[in-house]
Amino acid sequence: MTTRPAVLITGASSGIGATYAERFARRGHDLVLVARDKARLETLAAHLREENGVAIDILQADLTQSDDLIAVEARLRDDFRIGILINNAGAAQSGSFIEQSIDDVTRLVALNTTALVRLASAIAPRLAQAGEGVIVNIGSVVGLAPEFGMSVYGATKAFVLFLSQGLSLELTPKGVYVQAVLPAATRTEIWERAGIDVNAMPEVMEVGELVDAALVGFDRREPVTIPPLHDATRWEALEAARQALLSDIRQAHAAERYRTPS
Ligand code: NAP
């Protein structure tokens, strides 16, 4: 047993989630690992238990399936040892919008947005009540870039960023830290799963570098961490431009350019 909070990580069987698991185990946190592939989770858990002496539970779940999602929600609601949620499970999708089947699109939205917000909702009241805890949501720079041609995936990640920023404003005063992490292309299985050749990409970050950078932002309690963004003032400028736009929204009347002669 440790005095550190346990960490529940979704999508912990590979890539970014498995790397978070490794890093938090090294920091001495007990873990709850969630994904569909139980055998992979067990292999990872056995290795991390032996290396770090932490307790690790496995929760096999397909987060697009209602019963499985409900079981993970219940764990987050009821297990008071869990103080950190890493909302990481996600998938990408290749092809243009008109090529993507509605079943695939529905599954993608269910995993990347519905599951993520439901899990945040399951733990947030308990953390707020305790006055401490953390929710980390893994977004993507694609959520800032409709130009990248991944419209549905990008839209799910824009949702993750917006939700994280909103929850940060709501929950920070209650002692709960909310972080959005926005990776760019990172070498994981997500590409192969979506039928994209990662080796054909000009620049890719290694997953260890991505997670270590995200954890620097985590330790600094940054609301938004963008490891591949080299000039942080670009993000600050975007936020300032957004605030300026909001200050020019006047609710009572349409703007001059939309008024019709009466
Ligand atoms: P990955 O290696 O493919 O990992 C995805 C994880 O999600 C796996 O553990 C997978 O495990 C789990 N998962 C997939 N479908 C699931 C489902 N229906 N239910 C439960 N778990 C499911 O990809 P990754 O790059 O580490 O992705 C992690 C997160 O980073 C995602 O949210 C992704 O959008 C985001 N991201 C990745 C990149 C990148 O370039 N790699 C860039 C920006 C953002 P099982 O198959 O065992 O279920």
Side-chain angles (χ1 to χ4, degrees):
M1 278 297 287
T2 68
T3 53
R4 296 178 180 87
V7 185
L8 185 143
I9 304 170
T10 67
S13 63
S14 67
I16 294 169
T19 307
Y20 265 111
E22 199 266 328
R23 298 303 195 260
F24 275 113
R26 240 198 250 166
R27 290 179 174 207
H29 292 264
D30 293 342
L31 304 175
V32 181
L33 305 180
V34 181
R36 292 168 303 179
D37 190 332
K38 195 173 179 197
R40 278 184 97 173
L41 291 177
E42 274 169 354
T43 304
L44 176 66
H47 165 70
L48 295 181
R49 280 186 204 109
E50 188 177 315
E51 293 256 300
N52 305 283
V54 293
I56 304 183
D57 289 349
I58 283 166
L59 217 46
Q60 182 181 26
D62 180 339
L63 296 173
T64 65
Q65 299 301 311
S66 181
D67 288 352
D68 289 5
L69 189 51
I70 286 168
V72 183
E73 288 175 308
R75 184 69 185 258
L76 285 168
R77 233 186 332 264
D78 300 339
D79 186 343
F80 280 66
R81 296 170 311 148
I82 299 171
I84 300 176
L85 165 64
I86 308 292
N87 240 334
N88 163 78
Q93 204 173 7
S94 58
S96 69
F97 187 56
I98 54 174
E99 291 163 346
Q100 291 167 345
S101 81
I102 192 58
D103 287 348
D104 288 347
V105 165
T106 303
R107 254 194 308 277
L108 190 78
V109 171
L111 179 63
N112 290 9
T113 64
T114 308
L116 179 133
V117 70
R118 284 186 55 154
L119 297 182
S121 170
I123 196 172
R126 182 168 63 72
L127 298 184
Q129 177 74 30
E132 61 182 3
V134 180
I135 299 172
V136 175
N137 297 320
I138 308 299
S140 167
V141 295
V142 180
L144 300 171
E147 295 80 6
F148 286 4
M150 301 173 79
S151 301
V152 178
Y153 177 76
T156 68
K157 294 304 183 178
F159 175 95
V160 172
L161 174 60
F162 189 109
L163 181 77
S164 304
Q165 290 181 292
L167 294 188
S168 180
L169 290 169
E170 287 193 48
L171 297 176
T172 300
K174 299 183 189 304
V176 181
Y177 166 50
V178 181
Q179 181 193 29
V181 176
L182 278 56
T186 308
R187 195 179 308 282
T188 70
E189 293 171 22
I190 198 169
W191 300 101
E192 194 187 329
R193 291 178 199 253
I196 299 166
D197 180 9
V198 69
N199 295 315
M201 293 181 168
E203 291 188 37
V204 182
M205 193 179 292
E206 297 304 323
V207 68
E209 184 169 344
L210 181 272
V211 173
D212 287 337
L215 286 170
V216 170
F218 174 96
D219 290 335
R220 288 184 189 149
R221 295 302 191 243
E222 273 184 0
V224 179
T225 299
I226 312 177
L229 178 66
H230 284 245
D231 181 354
T233 64
R234 302 248 188 223
W235 172 254
E236 289 156 17
L238 181 65
E239 283 293 277
R242 193 176 58 73
Q243 294 291 347
L245 180 147
L246 289 178
S247 73
D248 195 39
I249 301 281
R250 316 218 190 111
Q251 310 203 88
H253 297 291
E256 183 67 38
R257 68 189 178 284
Y258 298 122
R259 288 193 200 151
T260 46
S262 50

